């Protein structure tokens, strides 16, 4: 067996182990009636600021919400998110470029407040590795800022192709960034036909209520968009799981 095959088999084994843990975590969270939202984006997309707004709005409405935020180092994001009034926990990955189900499971078991209905997980800033790891989430949201360029969905098809919802951030900078909104929409739908794209601006609050409403709808049993590369409860992203349209995979 050549070295490349060894690497492939090792990667498959790691993903298979993660998939099993994610499936058990998903079942446990379902029993506890906790909906998990996995937020993926590049560094600097503005997802922390948007999440802070969503958490604050949820707290204002009396919704039992909590957040885990992952970074390689520092607790800066946890401090920012805690200002919302929601319970927040920083998860340091010690150099790992993504979260895995075992890490999330440990924090759910040892930290998550018992009355939590919504758990937001801010994944490590990276559109590559996190896309392949199922966390047992109910909803996967992929975010991108207008400053990143309209072609990013084509460059990162696994991330955008596995999203249940796409959020475009920093829309107030679209004009100075010469952002081609029509091209972006077309590229998103090329890799994920039918997915909803929400426009947001954390500075003005645009899109914050929309994101929260979409999450609450899923919590209450609304049908979820089925992406072509849906995170599968028994495996990593797959082309076509064969599930009926609208079923969460």
């Amino acid at each position: 067996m050549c070295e490349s095959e060894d690497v492939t088999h090792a990667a498959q084994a790691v993903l298979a182990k993660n998939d099993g843990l994610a499936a058990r975590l998903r079942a446990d969270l379902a029993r506890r009636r906790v909906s998990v939202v996995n937020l993926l984006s590049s560094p600097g997309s503005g997802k922390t600021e948007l999440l802070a707004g969503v958490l604050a709005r949820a707290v204002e409405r009396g919704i039992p919400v909590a957040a885990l935020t992952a970074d390689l180092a520092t607790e800066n994001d946890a401090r920012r998110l805690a200002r919302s009034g929601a319970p927040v926990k920083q998860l340091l990955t010690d150099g790992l470029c993504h979260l895995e189900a075992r890490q999330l499971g440990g924090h759910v078991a040892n930290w998550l407040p018992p009355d939590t209905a919504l758990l937001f997980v801010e994944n490590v800033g990276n559109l590559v590795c996190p896309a392949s790891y199922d966390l047992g989430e109910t909803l996967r949201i992929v975010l991108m800022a207008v400053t990143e360029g309209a072609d990013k969905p084509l460059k990162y098809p696994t991330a955008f192709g596995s999203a249940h919802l796409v959020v475009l951030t920093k829309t107030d900078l679209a004009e100075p960034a010469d952002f081609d909104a029509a091209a972006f929409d077309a590229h998103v739908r090329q890799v994920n036909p039918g997915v909803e794209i929400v426009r947001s601006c954390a500075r003005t609050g645009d899109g914050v209520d929309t994101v929260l409403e979409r999450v609450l709808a899923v919590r209450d049993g609304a049908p979820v968009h089925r992406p072509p590369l849906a995170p599968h409860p028994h495996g990593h992203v797959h082309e076509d799981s064969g599930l009926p349209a609208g079923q969460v995979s």
Side-chain angles (χ1 to χ4, degrees), residues 33-201:
R33 301 181 65 82
V34 179
S35 295
V36 178
V37 183
N38 185 8
L39 302 174
L40 278 66
S41 79
S42 298
S45 68
K47 72 176 177 292
T48 303
E49 199 63 29
L50 178 66
L51 177 55
V54 171
L55 292 175
R57 205 63 53 89
V59 169
E60 289 171 6
R61 293 174 56 175
I63 299 166
V65 64
L68 277 169
T69 181
D71 277 303
L72 276 68
T74 82
E75 297 191 359
N76 294 345
D77 287 352
R79 285 192 287 269
R80 290 168 63 189
L81 294 176
R83 295 174 195 146
S84 67
V88 177
K89 178 76 171 178
Q90 181 75 53
L91 197 163
L92 298 180
T93 65
D94 295 324
L96 197 64
C97 63
H98 58 273
L99 281 181
E100 297 182 3
R102 63 177 175 81
Q103 296 166 305
L104 180 59
H107 283 76
V108 165
N110 300 320
W111 168 78
L112 190 66
D115 65 338
T116 303
L118 295 178
L119 173 61
F120 287 88
V121 179
E122 184 182 18
N123 218 312
V124 180
N126 182 350
L127 281 175
V128 182
C129 302
S132 296
Y133 284 82
D134 182 7
L135 298 182
E137 66 257 35
T138 311
L139 195 69
R140 177 176 289 197
I141 300 179
V142 175
L143 304 92
M144 193 201 88
V146 298
T147 50
E148 297 179 63
D151 62 342
K152 284 297 182 292
L154 301 180
K155 290 186 174 183
Y156 300 98
T158 301
F160 284 90
S162 65
H164 298 108
L165 180 71
V166 172
V167 177
L168 182 66
T169 64
K170 302 186 181 182
T171 53
D172 55 325
L173 300 178
E175 186 174 349
D178 196 24
F179 183 73
D180 190 335
F184 171 75
D185 289 358
H187 294 155
V188 169
R189 296 196 167 107
Q190 184 175 332
V191 299
N192 195 342
V195 71
E196 182 181 6
I197 303 170
V198 174
R199 261 76 171 167
S200 73
C201 174

